[in-house]
Amino acid sequence: METKDFLKEMGKISHISGFESELANFLSTEFAKQKNVNVSVDKVGSFIAHKKSLTTAENPPKVMLMAHIDEIGMIVSKVRKNGFVKFSPIGGIDKQNILAQEVTIHCRKTGQKLFGVIGIKPPHLTSESDMKKPIKISDMAIDTGLSTEQAQEIISPGDLITINTDVAELQNNKLTGRALDNTAGIAVMYHTLQALQHFNHSAEIYCVASAQEEVTGLGGKTATYSIKPDIAIIVDVGFGKANGLADHESIELGKGGAITIGPNTNRKLLDELKKAAKKHDTPYQVEVTAGMTGTDAYDVQISENGVITAVVSVPLKYMHSTVEVIDVADVENTGKLIANYIMSLQNLEGESCYWKD
Amino acid sequence: MLLERLTTACGLPGFEDEVRNIIKEELADFVDSIKIDRMGNLIAVKNAAATGKHIALNAHMDEVGLCVRYIESDGRIRFASWGVDRRLLPSMRVLVGEKKTLGVIGAKPIHLQTESERNSTVAIDSLYIDIGCDKKEEVEKLVNLGDFAAFNSKFTEFGENRIKAKALDDRVGCATIIEVLKSDIPHKVTGIFCVQEEIGIRGSAVAANGLSADILINLEGTIGADLDGIKPHEHVTTQGGGPAISIADRSSLYFRKHIDEIIAVAEKNSIPWQYRRSGMGGTDAHNYHLAKTGTPCIGLAVPCRYIHSPVSTMHKSDFENLVKLVKAYVAEFGGK
């Protein structure tokens, strides 16, 4: 599947933290279409695609790519009178991004996918000072247009809510939609495997779509423990330059994946990634994160005996909104960069080589 | 469905062409004449030669939205707002210009917002439309200064007999007039579809000067605030409660005599009705009341929740009952 179509398909599937199975199933089908790839879903809901070493090398290096599978979303907290539904956020929802948006309530009782809108009190009834304050999520309600009885019958507390936005095309190969954080990262892994399909790589490759990154980091932590990789490359999204963000706090769309420099990542691995990019003329950029990266790398790096870890980010504008924007070329170039790095790997001569100059 | 066709069309103030063309097409076989005046208002007359009481019906074709104000060198499109609540702007999808190029309005990520940014609504000046171009020259191939940016919202039926769409205010009024003019009535009825209501009832100022009718019924989508957490006395109207009849708003005081007439017609025909319970807002009726020697007006409306947003909603029965009520009024008082 073309990268664009792959992203559009993932955009149709709800995959809120803790409830990622539908997307995991989709990934199982799609990744399994590639040669030599075995797929599985682990007990916490992470998706794992394993591609064996295709050389006879002894002790081939184990490389784990990881992109989180979950998206932020909402959950029904109370069904009120006249078909109004109160809700709570799952993950870092920005209250200012969800007003007057269309939603689907995934009703467990009936299996229905119910349409609703997040309503807003009209400005005519709102004081000038209240207009300047964002509305709290606890003061919002979803309007289902149902009667009190119908709503009570169909909807229950705990039902999940996703915002209805498809992944749509903007100009210049850009896509917009919800949850591109982090379907973009999953698409990078998919593209990496595609790029490698005609090459005999010596590395054992694991592609993990980790569960619950947006809430607890559960899936990244447990999958790393069971795979025990030598090297991990975390693929997530980074703040794309927009909204007047300064150069030092953002990366640019269209300039390739951003390799993160900082204590959460391994310097030598970063150099190797850069070397692979330069050799194959793949665009990339760098970003500095002085503290933790806010990605699965936080847990992966210190798993068991420690993992040599890198973070590569796809630039994305308007993060955690329903109008996130990415450049498809950045996804493909990041996939290519990682594929080229994997091809450059022969054996590790002990992990400590990653501390030599 | 007529209402779907009308709400899918874009008709921002000064750009009502698409809506006007649909109305023209819909009415062509049902009226004696269709005239478009210098402002762009469409005036359709049915049974022009009929004698007796002449009833006029008015609705506006335009909708709220945004207007392209400036294109930055890096391709960001700055906009002005035609009546859009600024709290709705972050995460909005819009269709820009006559080519309807998809654009998005995104806010600064929550991760990077300062404490004060988290606690105040985003100012229009810090927002822009992003169509995916990073050069002004690329944007200019698709978008011109002064172009409109309309809500990108699909007509959707949902819930119990509800519709969600953009621009229900006032395509529901336009649809009502079309339904009435398509019906078999022997009396003289004029349908007026105005431009530029949303930016200060500009179209009807001219249409009113060209009209000689005995009475005018103004048809609107109005505020429905029967929402969770809002006290009953602030509801203005109730969805599903029937057409709302105006007593007064900011720009008109409706004559009691005609309010009583329309209520009597509703009661006689068992059509549910409600009062519009707010003095807020203003409509084209203002201009008809004041123009020339004055045309008395009746104000009727369909309750629309989240009016002026991409997701305005209405109850289908309110629309059906509004059409019934207007037809019944015309049958009762037309020609007399």
Side-chain angles (χ1 to χ4, degrees), chain B residues 4-209:
Chain B
E4 175 167 8
R5 206 172 163 215
L6 285 168
T7 54
T8 305
C10 293
L12 282 291
F15 294 92
E16 293 89 352
D17 314 59
E18 203 184 339
V19 179
R20 188 167 45 232
N21 289 338
I22 293 173
I23 296 170
K24 223 163 119 182
E25 219 181 281
E26 290 283 343
L27 290 179
D29 297 338
F30 298 93
V31 295
D32 294 343
S33 68
I34 292 178
K35 186 187 115 191
I36 293 160
D37 72 10
R38 287 183 184 171
M39 280 299 286
N41 302 312
L42 185 151
I43 293 128
V45 184
K46 190 175 176 83
N47 305 320
T51 52
K53 200 176 211 176
H54 170 204
I55 299 173
L57 308 174
N58 182 83
H60 64 89
M61 295 186 285
D62 61 319
E63 67 189 88
V64 300
L66 310 173
C67 171
V68 174
R69 197 174 167 188
Y70 186 76
I71 303 166
E72 300 274 3
S73 59
D74 60 4
R76 287 175 297 150
I77 300 171
R78 299 286 189 185
F79 58 87
S81 163
W82 279 315
V84 179
D85 182 344
R86 72 181 211 193
R87 296 172 298 174
L88 308 184
L89 293 169
S91 283
M92 188 179 278
R93 278 190 185 191
V94 291
L95 300 173
V96 191
E98 274 155 356
K99 291 198 177 100
K100 295 191 180 175
T101 306
L102 179 66
V104 298
I105 300 171
K108 193 173 180 180
I110 186 166
H111 323 64
L112 301 176
Q113 289 170 17
T114 61
E115 182 77 21
S116 76
E117 282 170 335
R118 282 188 193 207
N119 294 319
S120 49
T121 46
V122 189
I124 271 197
D125 280 351
S126 59
L127 294 170
Y128 53 87
I129 301 166
D130 183 346
I131 61 167
C133 295
D134 41 27
K135 285 186 195 71
K136 183 180 182 179
E137 300 72 47
E138 284 176 19
V139 176
E140 283 172 339
K141 284 179 198 154
L142 298 161
V143 176
N144 301 305
L145 290 188
D147 272 359
F148 66 82
F151 298 142
N152 180 22
S153 175
K154 234 168 84 186
F155 178 93
T156 307
E157 297 191 37
F158 77 110
E160 190 193 42
N161 234 355
R162 314 278 166 138
I163 285 167
K164 184 271 331 180
K166 72 168 178 64
L168 285 173
D169 169 18
D170 183 25
R171 303 295 150 70
V172 69
C174 296
T176 304
I177 302 181
I178 293 170
E179 294 291 354
V180 173
L181 291 180
K182 279 184 177 177
S183 71
D184 201 13
I185 34 172
H187 316 300
K188 181 175 179 183
V189 176
T190 298
I192 307 167
F193 302 85
C194 281
V195 297
Q196 300 189 24
E197 191 267 358
E198 295 291 0
I199 55 159
I201 50 173
R202 303 288 295 166
S204 56
V206 170
N209 287 332

Side-chain angles (χ1 to χ4, degrees), chain A residues 97-161:
Chain A
N97 277 334
I98 59 174
L99 284 170
Q101 299 270 332
E102 297 168 30
V103 302
T104 297
I105 303 177
H106 304 266
C107 305
R108 284 171 307 150
K109 244 191 277 178
T110 61
Q112 256 170 291
K113 290 188 190 295
L114 196 71
F115 180 90
V117 300
I118 300 180
I120 181 168
K121 185 169 146 180
H124 324 71
L125 301 176
T126 309
S127 69
E128 192 45 46
S129 67
D130 277 352
M131 288 292 286
K132 290 180 184 149
K133 278 183 253 158
I135 299 171
K136 289 187 217 134
I137 289 180
S138 57
D139 290 335
M140 295 179 195
I142 293 167
D143 184 346
T144 64
L146 294 173
S147 67
T148 306
E149 300 72 35
Q150 286 172 322
Q152 293 286 354
E153 206 177 291
I154 301 171
I155 311 163
S156 7
D159 287 350
L160 295 173
I161 304 157

Side-chain angles (χ1 to χ4, degrees), chain A residues 74-92:
Chain A
M74 296 162 302
I75 189 164
V76 173
S77 55
K78 180 116 183 124
V79 184
R80 310 249 305 166
K81 271 200 292 193
N82 300 318
F84 288 101
V85 173
K86 302 294 274 185
F87 59 94
S88 304
I90 295 179

